[in-house]
Amino acid sequence: MRVLVTGGAGFIGAHVVDALLAHGHEVRVLDLLAPEVHPGGWPDHLDPAAERVQGDVRELPAGLLDGVDAVCHQAAVVGHGLDLQDLPAYVSTNDLGTAVLLAAMARAGVDRLVLASSMVVYGEGRYSCAAHGVVRPGPRAVADLDAGRFSPGCPVCGADLTWDLVPEDAPVDPRSVYAATKLAQEHLASSWVRGTGGSCVALRYHNVYGPHMPRDTPYAGVASIFRSAVARGQAPRVFEDGAQMRDFVHVRDVAAANLRGLVAGRPGFGAYNVCSGTPRSIGDVAAQLAREAGGPEPVVTGEYRLGDVRHVVASPALAASELGFSAVVDFADGMREFATAPLRA
Ligand code: UD1
């Protein structure tokens, strides 16, 4: 199969390219090579066996889809951004870019798409109350956070809640511009599926980590922030009480999920959690990385960010049953490699 990977020079995209080539597929990469992301041009670790096209998803170069059987759409502006002045850039690249791509695919008769989505479409994770079952806590109150009450209470009785694995049919609740653009991408792709009879596998990535992750920037997730601190010989700074739960999934597993999404032959539109299935606390991740790097132990600061959710961890069951994808990289092995792996400058 010949696959177009948009954003193929990026952190996840380049690993997807490796996975596709390793399985005998032909790969064409489209990447903007934005100077703030790739100041040195094409990254050295991008496999030269992939055909390279520099360009913008919003203005697709002529002939880009010639001979292409499927598209793996990774190109996006990621992270939570700085402030609302980022809003047009997110919507333009992520949503207009997807719209332009889908229209071009419809014209070219390319009917298979894998879309990089995100767990951020859920907002908060899933919670249960002993008395009231599955409940949806409201936004976290400043007064609670200031008092060190980081975990949301039951919206009915106020009792402590337990966290649970989020299934794909959980209600969506995008809480940032980025999250809104990722959900809009899913909706656009779903409309495209209905209009063309094509198929789309949307992969809701959880907290991805691994070699060539970008260094810490205002757009980076916590794995990169902790890894960058460790590289400077500093202690990772753990917010809240460190007990907040996430699912850290290795980038090679994420690449494998993309491969499964492309070849599984699942019809219609489907969204899938891409996660390891073994939730970890942020405190544990910081401690593991610091240990593996031989650096100072993490500091639990009690700081918080109002926009953060408390826990979000997911069920890997649907991706296993419908795509045949299960993560295989062990957490300890993955973090050991990550502690000294190269980061993108
Ligand atoms: C992250 C990404 C999100 C992405 C998702 C899935 C960002 C900012 N967030 O969401 O875009 O879609 O993973 O891949 O890119 N924390 C610390 N110390 C720090 C920074 C953060 O303890 O220095 C804590 C936060 O308070 C939070 C947790 O780590 O509780 C996770 O933070 P972060 O990775 O930024 O956000 P996610 O919600 O996991």
Side-chain angles (χ1 to χ4, degrees):
M1 180 158 65
R2 182 179 286 141
V3 182
L4 172 69
V5 180
T6 72
F11 165 45
I12 297 173
H15 285 277
V16 173
V17 170
D18 289 343
L20 287 166
L21 290 170
H23 284 79
H25 300 289
E26 289 175 61
V27 179
R28 182 175 296 156
V29 165
L30 174 73
D31 203 290
L32 183 58
L33 295 182
E36 64 277 18
V37 181
H38 299 285
W42 293 101
D44 292 341
H45 60 269
L46 180 65
D47 194 314
E51 184 188 340
R52 302 172 177 198
V53 180
Q54 183 175 357
D56 192 325
V57 276
R58 293 164 294 186
E59 292 163 36
L60 295 179
L64 184 74
L65 290 168
D66 290 357
V68 165
D69 303 297
V71 174
C72 185
H73 184 33
Q74 308 290 321
V77 181
V78 300
H80 289 324
L82 292 175
D83 55 39
L84 287 178
Q85 296 315 305
D86 285 333
L87 214 159
Y90 275 94
V91 173
S92 175
T93 297
N94 297 2
D95 295 338
L96 177 60
T98 300
V100 170
L101 178 66
L102 293 171
M105 288 172 70
R107 281 195 304 278
V110 180
D111 62 359
R112 199 180 304 190
L113 173 68
V114 168
L115 172 69
S117 184
S118 170
M119 70 179 202
V120 291
V121 300
Y122 299 120
E124 270 291 356
R126 185 177 168 99
Y127 296 88
S128 301
C129 169
H132 298 102
V134 175
V135 291
R136 297 187 66 196
R140 301 202 288 174
V142 171
D144 284 338
L145 295 166
D146 281 343
R149 285 188 300 271
F150 298 117
S151 290
C154 174
V156 184
C157 67
D160 289 347
L161 300 173
T162 51
W163 55 262
D164 223 332
L165 302 183
V166 182
E168 285 81 353
D169 59 2
V172 290
D173 182 16
R175 294 181 174 198
S176 66
V177 170
Y178 172 63
T181 64
K182 281 283 143 187
L183 187 57
Q185 284 186 315
E186 287 194 10
H187 290 159
L188 293 169
S190 177
S191 305
W192 170 86
V193 164
R194 279 193 301 278
T196 60
S199 71
C200 172
V201 168
L203 300 175
R204 292 176 176 169
Y205 299 161
H206 284 255
N207 295 67
V208 185
Y209 73 99
H212 304 300
M213 192 171 190
R215 261 175 227 285
D216 53 349
T217 68
Y219 303 89
V222 71
S224 147
I225 293 171
F226 286 170
R227 173 64 182 82
S228 302
V230 159
R232 292 190 299 264
Q234 295 169 348
R237 294 175 60 80
V238 177
F239 297 162
E240 303 183 18
D241 56 3
Q244 59 272 41
M245 303 297 290
R246 294 290 188 280
D247 187 308
F248 286 82
V249 58
H250 195 277
V251 67
R252 283 195 296 274
D253 280 329
V254 173
N258 276 273
L259 181 66
R260 290 305 311 158
L262 284 162
V263 302
R266 192 217 174 273
F269 177 89
Y272 300 89
N273 288 321
V274 174
C275 59
S276 72
T278 51
R280 305 283 167 174
S281 74
I282 294 298
D284 278 353
V285 170
Q288 185 90 15
L289 258 183
R291 201 162 40 237
E292 294 297 351
E297 280 186 27
V299 182
V300 180
T301 68
E303 290 164 85
Y304 64 83
R305 300 184 305 199
L306 198 53
D308 277 338
V309 298
R310 175 63 173 168
H311 306 299
V312 54
V313 292
S315 168
L318 195 66
S321 64
E322 294 196 2
L323 302 181
F325 164 72
S326 295
V328 297
V329 178
D330 173 72
F331 177 75
D333 293 343
M335 284 291 163
R336 188 171 310 123
E337 177 200 36
F338 184 50
T340 54
L343 296 181
R344 192 173 75 209

